[in-house]
Amino acid sequence: MKHIKNNLVPVCIFLLAVISFYFADVSGKYLASEIYTRFIRNALFVLALILPISCGMGINFAIVVGAISAQMAIVFAIDLMLEGPAALLFTMSVSIFLSIVFGLMVAALLNRAKGREMIVSIMIGQLSSVLYQFVFMVAFGLIITPHNEAILLDRGIGVRSMIDAKNISSVIDGIFPFQLDGKTYSLFPLIIIAVFALLLFYIQRSRLGVLAKAVGKNIHTADVLGLKTNKIRSLCIVISTIFAAMSQILYVTDFGTVNVYTGHIGMDTNAAAAILVGGATLKGASMKNCFLGLILFHALFITSPMAGQNLFQNPSVGEYFRSFLAYGVIIIALIMNLKTEKKKASFA
Amino acid sequence: MIEVKGLSKKFDSGYVLKDIDLQIEDGEIYGIIGANGSGKSTFLNILNGKDTIVKTGGYEGDIFIDGEKVRILDHQHSVSHGISMVHQELALFPGMRAVDNIKINHENVKWELPVIPELSRLDEKKNLEDAKTALERIGTELDPVRNIDNLSLNQKQFVEIARELDHQNIRLLMLDEPTSSLNITETEKLLSCVQEIASRGISVIFVSHRLEEIEKICHRVSVFRDGRLISTYKKADFDLNRFAEDMVGQKIVKAARERRQLSEETILEYRCRDDDGNTLTIKKGEILGITGLAGQGQEQFLAGLFGLAKTNYTTSFKGEMLKDGDTHGLIGKGIYYISENRGVDSLLLDSSIWENMIFGTEGKHQDFLSLSRIPGLSFLKRDRIRSYTEQMIEKLNIVCADPQQPVRELSGGNQQKVCIGRALTFEPELLGIGEPTRGIDIYSKELILNWILKMNQEMNTTVVVVSGELEELMRICDRIAVMYQGKIHRIFNTGVSPEELSLALYGKAAS
């Protein structure tokens, strides 16, 4: 009973997912294959949220910046007409480089907004999205000389909104294939996710892990004891941004095309919802929360529109369910969080 | 040997520490005592390389360690010179293990990464060994893997000391009020631990408000007052009465208020929740001072009543029980409170002087409203308010550009005068003021104290002043209540000697 009380959010979502699955009337195999796809597309985004939470900065909605770094790297790779492993390697290195640069900029801003990191990170995400869109809508072809005419709009300025990303998605296609629900999937992305999860596992147990936790527990004490709080926070944000970039690359390789102007949007909200569904709070998150949350959230995300449609005989209700879920879950989890925090405070 | 020469610290408002000279021998326990604001903390902060010192232009004077001159530029620098500090408020990270707290920021690592040393791998085994050794050195057999949250206050204090002792080259350990939250047995244990540390040749600076501890373990004691070193005593010359005298100064009584007959009518009564005999009754028309050392619970009374602090006392007003935090009801009954945190609790800093002077007083002053029958929807009579505010500005001698000026732009003293002005507008039957002269220059201090006296005499307002300024309380109050360990310890009438009063602060009586 106590266990349920401590994990109220995941338990509630699990029950909802079971009900939703029942009404959606889909096969377990279908659900599993859909969850697998979404898992590999989103897992690293969710993992990216752990470090900023543990160092007390709340949910880093600015992971959008990481996604943008990856999108830029991918478009550059396509523009340079790179193919195969070279394209993937180029994309990864450029996006890591951009993530470090942008991550440091984000961290500099967030360090000036202590105590209000979440709202500031949302705004940074929005602003960077606009700036990024400007680069590919206006500057590409006008300031930056394109190499690959095929990706340009007919007027010669600006990139098309959808670009084929076969050059990188083809790399992983044949590696460790397996069949699920009549379709072929690759295990390779899962291996990459495992590698990054191990990396995060190491970071959490490195010096940085302990220092970040200390800063998250009490930044004032950390200052008193002479910890370099700003540097620690910056490192966490940069690592978070790199994880987000890697996640976006996995997303695009899986999806097969780049949605140049909108591909990065909404990643932050879904990741935030997933980690909260997994039982994380704004002050503490673990990998368990991430993986559990990813599966629960996406199970609900996949089945709820169909359940809504079947229950009300109306497809638009189904879509409504989906948007309600993403935002509703964040709000409900936040409120539950605040309540438990208040309870703890009154005992102290 | 550690020596400081001519150590001074100047903030914008002036010197808070001036020309401190002292030497601390190896293995000596050196006590520092002084009233609040006497410069003790500033002294420790300089040696500890605190940001509050570093970011405000550093310090003046010299520090020598074993005859070698050192300049402390930041905290890391201070640590590298072997200076450590145990803070008054525990500087520990909750929810983390004792070993993490002890080894924080000087962890052992297995391999050191060049560019980002933060990502180095921790040497858990060695960290645990170090933590265990450090804890054993101070006589504690605490398992270092235990979570801090599950430790007693005493154990936490030991973890903090262990952390500081774990610095390899430790020369000087500074303890700021280390026993303020410990009980008697825990205190004993800590004191013998400090003596043990000193016996190993480490110098100790021991700051405490508890004079008996100072007397017990220190080899020498210096008294700080108003940022200066007033006197230094060797162990043979220790005398609690002389300490107290040096701490508050000779000229403590400037102009004692004439003794007068107090009214018999009780206006307010406080009763302790867990000690029925511990009560405080406030008579109509008196000025009552409440004082005590920091953290002895003096904020429980009016701040507690107004919901700004936790209180262990119930309050009745003219026999009627009051509800804590019911601000609206309290003001309706004629009770008003000016908090010691003026900027946070008592002023709208970004609003103008006139707004601050009248907000909340519409019920009392219908002449400020054009439609007094529907006060909630009424316009304000701007002309009337403006002339009233101008009158108050002149009366209280508030230095400002005009009534429109935002209160944030005024100095501390003038802000306090605005608070007094609003209190006057309310015409309360009972007025509470927290630290009325904190951070206020000498001239304005007198003005504010005079106004308190004036309100009391001319409007017959009962006034409760909560303050650490003994000298001021002795001048304006009819009676002074001294708080000790969260309860009323003693209540003095006017004419109490400063020595007796300062000893009462420590829960003692004069011999």
mmCIF file with all atom_site columns, all heavy atoms in Angstrom, chain A residues 289-305:
data_model
loop_
_atom_site.group_PDB
_atom_site.id
_atom_site.type_symbol
_atom_site.label_atom_id
_atom_site.label_alt_id
_atom_site.label_comp_id
_atom_site.label_asym_id
_atom_site.label_entity_id
_atom_site.label_seq_id
_atom_site.pdbx_PDB_ins_code
_atom_site.Cartn_x
_atom_site.Cartn_y
_atom_site.Cartn_z
_atom_site.occupancy
_atom_site.B_iso_or_equiv
_atom_site.pdbx_formal_charge
_atom_site.auth_seq_id
_atom_site.auth_comp_id
_atom_site.auth_asym_id
_atom_site.auth_atom_id
_atom_site.pdbx_PDB_model_num
ATOM 1   N N   . ASN A 1 289 ? 12.557 6.033  -13.502 1.00 0.00 ? 289 ASN A N   1
ATOM 2   C CA  . ASN A 1 289 ? 11.449 6.923  -13.845 1.00 0.00 ? 289 ASN A CA  1
ATOM 3   C C   . ASN A 1 289 ? 11.364 7.112  -15.356 1.00 0.00 ? 289 ASN A C   1
ATOM 4   O O   . ASN A 1 289 ? 10.279 7.137  -15.936 1.00 0.00 ? 289 ASN A O   1
ATOM 5   C CB  . ASN A 1 289 ? 11.634 8.308  -13.205 1.00 0.00 ? 289 ASN A CB  1
ATOM 6   C CG  . ASN A 1 289 ? 11.680 8.260  -11.693 1.00 0.00 ? 289 ASN A CG  1
ATOM 7   O OD1 . ASN A 1 289 ? 12.464 8.947  -11.080 1.00 0.00 ? 289 ASN A OD1 1
ATOM 8   N ND2 . ASN A 1 289 ? 10.829 7.439  -11.098 1.00 0.00 ? 289 ASN A ND2 1
ATOM 9   N N   . CYS A 1 290 ? 12.524 7.270  -15.987 1.00 0.00 ? 290 CYS A N   1
ATOM 10  C CA  . CYS A 1 290 ? 12.557 7.542  -17.426 1.00 0.00 ? 290 CYS A CA  1
ATOM 11  C C   . CYS A 1 290 ? 11.966 6.393  -18.222 1.00 0.00 ? 290 CYS A C   1
ATOM 12  O O   . CYS A 1 290 ? 11.059 6.587  -19.032 1.00 0.00 ? 290 CYS A O   1
ATOM 13  C CB  . CYS A 1 290 ? 13.982 7.753  -17.899 1.00 0.00 ? 290 CYS A CB  1
ATOM 14  S SG  . CYS A 1 290 ? 14.675 9.280  -17.356 1.00 0.00 ? 290 CYS A SG  1
ATOM 15  N N   . PHE A 1 291 ? 12.502 5.193  -17.990 1.00 0.00 ? 291 PHE A N   1
ATOM 16  C CA  . PHE A 1 291 ? 12.087 4.062  -18.819 1.00 0.00 ? 291 PHE A CA  1
ATOM 17  C C   . PHE A 1 291 ? 10.648 3.666  -18.536 1.00 0.00 ? 291 PHE A C   1
ATOM 18  O O   . PHE A 1 291 ? 9.867  3.404  -19.447 1.00 0.00 ? 291 PHE A O   1
ATOM 19  C CB  . PHE A 1 291 ? 13.064 2.897  -18.637 1.00 0.00 ? 291 PHE A CB  1
ATOM 20  C CG  . PHE A 1 291 ? 14.426 3.218  -19.201 1.00 0.00 ? 291 PHE A CG  1
ATOM 21  C CD1 . PHE A 1 291 ? 15.566 3.073  -18.437 1.00 0.00 ? 291 PHE A CD1 1
ATOM 22  C CD2 . PHE A 1 291 ? 14.547 3.702  -20.494 1.00 0.00 ? 291 PHE A CD2 1
ATOM 23  C CE1 . PHE A 1 291 ? 16.820 3.395  -18.964 1.00 0.00 ? 291 PHE A CE1 1
ATOM 24  C CE2 . PHE A 1 291 ? 15.785 4.024  -21.023 1.00 0.00 ? 291 PHE A CE2 1
ATOM 25  C CZ  . PHE A 1 291 ? 16.927 3.867  -20.257 1.00 0.00 ? 291 PHE A CZ  1
ATOM 26  N N   . LEU A 1 292 ? 10.294 3.649  -17.266 1.00 0.00 ? 292 LEU A N   1
ATOM 27  C CA  . LEU A 1 292 ? 8.916  3.329  -16.907 1.00 0.00 ? 292 LEU A CA  1
ATOM 28  C C   . LEU A 1 292 ? 7.959  4.359  -17.519 1.00 0.00 ? 292 LEU A C   1
ATOM 29  O O   . LEU A 1 292 ? 6.943  4.013  -18.123 1.00 0.00 ? 292 LEU A O   1
ATOM 30  C CB  . LEU A 1 292 ? 8.782  3.331  -15.381 1.00 0.00 ? 292 LEU A CB  1
ATOM 31  C CG  . LEU A 1 292 ? 7.414  2.988  -14.810 1.00 0.00 ? 292 LEU A CG  1
ATOM 32  C CD1 . LEU A 1 292 ? 7.106  1.529  -15.105 1.00 0.00 ? 292 LEU A CD1 1
ATOM 33  C CD2 . LEU A 1 292 ? 7.383  3.221  -13.306 1.00 0.00 ? 292 LEU A CD2 1
ATOM 34  N N   . GLY A 1 293 ? 8.331  5.625  -17.368 1.00 0.00 ? 293 GLY A N   1
ATOM 35  C CA  . GLY A 1 293 ? 7.495  6.713  -17.872 1.00 0.00 ? 293 GLY A CA  1
ATOM 36  C C   . GLY A 1 293 ? 7.335  6.659  -19.369 1.00 0.00 ? 293 GLY A C   1
ATOM 37  O O   . GLY A 1 293 ? 6.241  6.868  -19.905 1.00 0.00 ? 293 GLY A O   1
ATOM 38  N N   . LEU A 1 294 ? 8.444  6.362  -20.063 1.00 0.00 ? 294 LEU A N   1
ATOM 39  C CA  . LEU A 1 294 ? 8.396  6.283  -21.531 1.00 0.00 ? 294 LEU A CA  1
ATOM 40  C C   . LEU A 1 294 ? 7.364  5.248  -21.977 1.00 0.00 ? 294 LEU A C   1
ATOM 41  O O   . LEU A 1 294 ? 6.533  5.522  -22.844 1.00 0.00 ? 294 LEU A O   1
ATOM 42  C CB  . LEU A 1 294 ? 9.763  5.843  -22.043 1.00 0.00 ? 294 LEU A CB  1
ATOM 43  C CG  . LEU A 1 294 ? 10.723 6.945  -22.467 1.00 0.00 ? 294 LEU A CG  1
ATOM 44  C CD1 . LEU A 1 294 ? 12.107 6.365  -22.633 1.00 0.00 ? 294 LEU A CD1 1
ATOM 45  C CD2 . LEU A 1 294 ? 10.264 7.584  -23.762 1.00 0.00 ? 294 LEU A CD2 1
ATOM 46  N N   . ILE A 1 295 ? 7.438  4.076  -21.361 1.00 0.00 ? 295 ILE A N   1
ATOM 47  C CA  . ILE A 1 295 ? 6.540  2.992  -21.779 1.00 0.00 ? 295 ILE A CA  1
ATOM 48  C C   . ILE A 1 295 ? 5.088  3.335  -21.431 1.00 0.00 ? 295 ILE A C   1
ATOM 49  O O   . ILE A 1 295 ? 4.198  3.256  -22.277 1.00 0.00 ? 295 ILE A O   1
ATOM 50  C CB  . ILE A 1 295 ? 6.977  1.656  -21.135 1.00 0.00 ? 295 ILE A CB  1
ATOM 51  C CG1 . ILE A 1 295 ? 8.335  1.254  -21.714 1.00 0.00 ? 295 ILE A CG1 1
ATOM 52  C CG2 . ILE A 1 295 ? 5.938  0.579  -21.378 1.00 0.00 ? 295 ILE A CG2 1
ATOM 53  C CD1 . ILE A 1 295 ? 9.013  0.112  -21.002 1.00 0.00 ? 295 ILE A CD1 1
ATOM 54  N N   . LEU A 1 296 ? 4.869  3.783  -20.192 1.00 0.00 ? 296 LEU A N   1
ATOM 55  C CA  . LEU A 1 296 ? 3.495  4.095  -19.769 1.00 0.00 ? 296 LEU A CA  1
ATOM 56  C C   . LEU A 1 296 ? 2.908  5.230  -20.592 1.00 0.00 ? 296 LEU A C   1
ATOM 57  O O   . LEU A 1 296 ? 1.789  5.147  -21.101 1.00 0.00 ? 296 LEU A O   1
ATOM 58  C CB  . LEU A 1 296 ? 3.483  4.480  -18.293 1.00 0.00 ? 296 LEU A CB  1
ATOM 59  C CG  . LEU A 1 296 ? 3.693  3.364  -17.289 1.00 0.00 ? 296 LEU A CG  1
ATOM 60  C CD1 . LEU A 1 296 ? 3.706  3.936  -15.879 1.00 0.00 ? 296 LEU A CD1 1
ATOM 61  C CD2 . LEU A 1 296 ? 2.587  2.338  -17.427 1.00 0.00 ? 296 LEU A CD2 1
ATOM 62  N N   . PHE A 1 297 ? 3.680  6.302  -20.711 1.00 0.00 ? 297 PHE A N   1
ATOM 63  C CA  . PHE A 1 297 ? 3.162  7.482  -21.414 1.00 0.00 ? 297 PHE A CA  1
ATOM 64  C C   . PHE A 1 297 ? 2.827  7.136  -22.855 1.00 0.00 ? 297 PHE A C   1
ATOM 65  O O   . PHE A 1 297 ? 1.752  7.484  -23.358 1.00 0.00 ? 297 PHE A O   1
ATOM 66  C CB  . PHE A 1 297 ? 4.185  8.611  -21.355 1.00 0.00 ? 297 PHE A CB  1
ATOM 67  C CG  . PHE A 1 297 ? 3.772  9.846  -22.105 1.00 0.00 ? 297 PHE A CG  1
ATOM 68  C CD1 . PHE A 1 297 ? 2.745  10.638 -21.617 1.00 0.00 ? 297 PHE A CD1 1
ATOM 69  C CD2 . PHE A 1 297 ? 4.388  10.209 -23.291 1.00 0.00 ? 297 PHE A CD2 1
ATOM 70  C CE1 . PHE A 1 297 ? 2.341  11.769 -22.298 1.00 0.00 ? 297 PHE A CE1 1
ATOM 71  C CE2 . PHE A 1 297 ? 3.988  11.341 -23.971 1.00 0.00 ? 297 PHE A CE2 1
ATOM 72  C CZ  . PHE A 1 297 ? 2.968  12.122 -23.477 1.00 0.00 ? 297 PHE A CZ  1
ATOM 73  N N   . HIS A 1 298 ? 3.725  6.424  -23.514 1.00 0.00 ? 298 HIS A N   1
ATOM 74  C CA  . HIS A 1 298 ? 3.469  6.140  -24.930 1.00 0.00 ? 298 HIS A CA  1
ATOM 75  C C   . HIS A 1 298 ? 2.379  5.094  -25.115 1.00 0.00 ? 298 HIS A C   1
ATOM 76  O O   . HIS A 1 298 ? 1.632  5.167  -26.089 1.00 0.00 ? 298 HIS A O   1
ATOM 77  C CB  . HIS A 1 298 ? 4.761  5.797  -25.652 1.00 0.00 ? 298 HIS A CB  1
ATOM 78  C CG  . HIS A 1 298 ? 5.599  7.028  -25.887 1.00 0.00 ? 298 HIS A CG  1
ATOM 79  N ND1 . HIS A 1 298 ? 5.192  8.040  -26.715 1.00 0.00 ? 298 HIS A ND1 1
ATOM 80  C CD2 . HIS A 1 298 ? 6.752  7.443  -25.328 1.00 0.00 ? 298 HIS A CD2 1
ATOM 81  C CE1 . HIS A 1 298 ? 6.085  9.021  -26.693 1.00 0.00 ? 298 HIS A CE1 1
ATOM 82  N NE2 . HIS A 1 298 ? 7.050  8.682  -25.848 1.00 0.00 ? 298 HIS A NE2 1
ATOM 83  N N   . ALA A 1 299 ? 2.278  4.165  -24.169 1.00 0.00 ? 299 ALA A N   1
ATOM 84  C CA  . ALA A 1 299 ? 1.166  3.208  -24.255 1.00 0.00 ? 299 ALA A CA  1
ATOM 85  C C   . ALA A 1 299 ? -0.156 3.973  -24.242 1.00 0.00 ? 299 ALA A C   1
ATOM 86  O O   . ALA A 1 299 ? -1.059 3.710  -25.041 1.00 0.00 ? 299 ALA A O   1
ATOM 87  C CB  . ALA A 1 299 ? 1.231  2.237  -23.085 1.00 0.00 ? 299 ALA A CB  1
ATOM 88  N N   . LEU A 1 300 ? -0.237 4.930  -23.367 1.00 0.00 ? 300 LEU A N   1
ATOM 89  C CA  . LEU A 1 300 ? -1.451 5.736  -23.259 1.00 0.00 ? 300 LEU A CA  1
ATOM 90  C C   . LEU A 1 300 ? -1.610 6.645  -24.473 1.00 0.00 ? 300 LEU A C   1
ATOM 91  O O   . LEU A 1 300 ? -2.699 6.844  -24.997 1.00 0.00 ? 300 LEU A O   1
ATOM 92  C CB  . LEU A 1 300 ? -1.377 6.557  -21.970 1.00 0.00 ? 300 LEU A CB  1
ATOM 93  C CG  . LEU A 1 300 ? -2.665 7.160  -21.448 1.00 0.00 ? 300 LEU A CG  1
ATOM 94  C CD1 . LEU A 1 300 ? -3.726 6.083  -21.302 1.00 0.00 ? 300 LEU A CD1 1
ATOM 95  C CD2 . LEU A 1 300 ? -2.420 7.816  -20.106 1.00 0.00 ? 300 LEU A CD2 1
ATOM 96  N N   . PHE A 1 301 ? -0.470 7.166  -24.923 1.00 0.00 ? 301 PHE A N   1
ATOM 97  C CA  . PHE A 1 301 ? -0.464 8.096  -26.041 1.00 0.00 ? 301 PHE A CA  1
ATOM 98  C C   . PHE A 1 301 ? -0.952 7.403  -27.320 1.00 0.00 ? 301 PHE A C   1
ATOM 99  O O   . PHE A 1 301 ? -1.628 8.004  -28.143 1.00 0.00 ? 301 PHE A O   1
ATOM 100 C CB  . PHE A 1 301 ? 0.976  8.607  -26.225 1.00 0.00 ? 301 PHE A CB  1
ATOM 101 C CG  . PHE A 1 301 ? 1.070  9.951  -26.870 1.00 0.00 ? 301 PHE A CG  1
ATOM 102 C CD1 . PHE A 1 301 ? 0.744  11.092 -26.157 1.00 0.00 ? 301 PHE A CD1 1
ATOM 103 C CD2 . PHE A 1 301 ? 1.514  10.083 -28.180 1.00 0.00 ? 301 PHE A CD2 1
ATOM 104 C CE1 . PHE A 1 301 ? 0.854  12.339 -26.747 1.00 0.00 ? 301 PHE A CE1 1
ATOM 105 C CE2 . PHE A 1 301 ? 1.622  11.331 -28.767 1.00 0.00 ? 301 PHE A CE2 1
ATOM 106 C CZ  . PHE A 1 301 ? 1.296  12.465 -28.047 1.00 0.00 ? 301 PHE A CZ  1
ATOM 107 N N   . ILE A 1 302 ? -0.595 6.123  -27.469 1.00 0.00 ? 302 ILE A N   1
ATOM 108 C CA  . ILE A 1 302 ? -0.967 5.376  -28.674 1.00 0.00 ? 302 ILE A CA  1
ATOM 109 C C   . ILE A 1 302 ? -2.438 4.954  -28.607 1.00 0.00 ? 302 ILE A C   1
ATOM 110 O O   . ILE A 1 302 ? -3.191 5.113  -29.564 1.00 0.00 ? 302 ILE A O   1
ATOM 111 C CB  . ILE A 1 302 ? -0.082 4.120  -28.831 1.00 0.00 ? 302 ILE A CB  1
ATOM 112 C CG1 . ILE A 1 302 ? 1.368  4.533  -29.072 1.00 0.00 ? 302 ILE A CG1 1
ATOM 113 C CG2 . ILE A 1 302 ? -0.564 3.245  -29.978 1.00 0.00 ? 302 ILE A CG2 1
ATOM 114 C CD1 . ILE A 1 302 ? 2.369  3.470  -28.678 1.00 0.00 ? 302 ILE A CD1 1
ATOM 115 N N   . THR A 1 303 ? -2.830 4.442  -27.436 1.00 0.00 ? 303 THR A N   1
ATOM 116 C CA  . THR A 1 303 ? -4.168 3.848  -27.365 1.00 0.00 ? 303 THR A CA  1
ATOM 117 C C   . THR A 1 303 ? -5.278 4.872  -27.117 1.00 0.00 ? 303 THR A C   1
ATOM 118 O O   . THR A 1 303 ? -6.402 4.659  -27.550 1.00 0.00 ? 303 THR A O   1
ATOM 119 C CB  . THR A 1 303 ? -4.229 2.794  -26.248 1.00 0.00 ? 303 THR A CB  1
ATOM 120 O OG1 . THR A 1 303 ? -3.759 3.388  -25.041 1.00 0.00 ? 303 THR A OG1 1
ATOM 121 C CG2 . THR A 1 303 ? -3.379 1.578  -26.580 1.00 0.00 ? 303 THR A CG2 1
ATOM 122 N N   . SER A 1 304 ? -4.973 5.973  -26.441 1.00 0.00 ? 304 SER A N   1
ATOM 123 C CA  . SER A 1 304 ? -6.058 6.868  -26.030 1.00 0.00 ? 304 SER A CA  1
ATOM 124 C C   . SER A 1 304 ? -6.858 7.453  -27.196 1.00 0.00 ? 304 SER A C   1
ATOM 125 O O   . SER A 1 304 ? -8.084 7.521  -27.114 1.00 0.00 ? 304 SER A O   1
ATOM 126 C CB  . SER A 1 304 ? -5.535 7.963  -25.102 1.00 0.00 ? 304 SER A CB  1
ATOM 127 O OG  . SER A 1 304 ? -4.658 8.794  -25.790 1.00 0.00 ? 304 SER A OG  1
ATOM 128 N N   . PRO A 1 305 ? -6.216 7.866  -28.317 1.00 0.00 ? 305 PRO A N   1
ATOM 129 C CA  . PRO A 1 305 ? -7.056 8.397  -29.409 1.00 0.00 ? 305 PRO A CA  1
ATOM 130 C C   . PRO A 1 305 ? -8.007 7.341  -29.955 1.00 0.00 ? 305 PRO A C   1
ATOM 131 O O   . PRO A 1 305 ? -9.168 7.630  -30.220 1.00 0.00 ? 305 PRO A O   1
ATOM 132 C CB  . PRO A 1 305 ? -6.037 8.808  -30.472 1.00 0.00 ? 305 PRO A CB  1
ATOM 133 C CG  . PRO A 1 305 ? -4.751 8.902  -29.778 1.00 0.00 ? 305 PRO A CG  1
ATOM 134 C CD  . PRO A 1 305 ? -4.798 7.932  -28.641 1.00 0.00 ? 305 PRO A CD  1
#
